[in-house]
Amino acid sequence: MSKVNINESITWKEITPGGNICASGNSEEFKTGDWRVDKPVLIEEKCKHCLLCVPVCPDSSIPVKDGKRLEFDYDHCKGCGICAKVCPFDAIEMVKDK
Ligand code: SF4
Ligand code: SF4
């Protein structure tokens, strides 16, 4: 089975069975950040773009472009706070999500 696009007309027979990972990139189709309790906030003036926060994110929710980190991908960030713990410059603050 390969990755399929989920839309209003798709039937249950066509979607990925629950819990099965059939191909890389499956989770991109789902917004898994909806149940987050806390969320990371970037304090841009403190960020040195050292990128230490990027590889530790278990959800690949810190995009990088041209050697600089971008805003969090809140559609997929689970709010675990690991990025805030590893940032040596206190450039990430964890706050209650609304
Ligand atoms: S670890 Fe901190 S300073 Fe380094 S890129 Fe991430 S937010 Fe910026
Ligand atoms: S809080 Fe966790 S999931 Fe969200 S960006 Fe930081 S490390 Fe990734």
Side-chain angles (χ1 to χ4, degrees):
M1 181 182 271
S2 61
K3 189 170 113 180
V4 295
N5 281 326
I6 310 246
N7 54 53
E8 293 80 9
S9 61
I10 201 166
T11 70
W12 66 270
K13 291 177 186 168
E14 297 169 281
I15 63 173
T16 307
N20 283 5
I21 304 294
C22 300
S24 61
N26 283 37
S27 62
E28 236 179 357
E29 306 289 327
F30 303 92
K31 290 187 179 181
T32 50
D34 286 351
W35 50 272
R36 183 180 50 235
V37 175
D38 297 323
K39 78 171 185 179
V41 173
L42 178 65
I43 305 163
E44 287 197 27
E45 57 272 20
K46 287 187 175 179
C47 178
K48 309 279 190 235
H49 295 280
C50 64
L51 305 185
L52 287 175
C53 56
V54 175
V56 299
C57 175
D59 292 288
S60 298
S61 295
I62 306 176
V64 176
K65 189 173 180 202
D66 298 330
K68 297 201 165 190
R69 62 148 296 166
L70 304 180
E71 184 51 278
F72 291 102
D73 168 10
Y74 287 121
D75 283 349
H76 297 97
C77 163
K78 64 165 69 123
C80 67
I82 297 173
C83 54
K85 286 207 169 93
V86 301
C87 177
F89 304 104
D90 293 329
I92 301 172
E93 185 184 357
M94 297 302 292
V95 301
K96 287 278 168 241
D97 203 0
K98 293 178 186 151

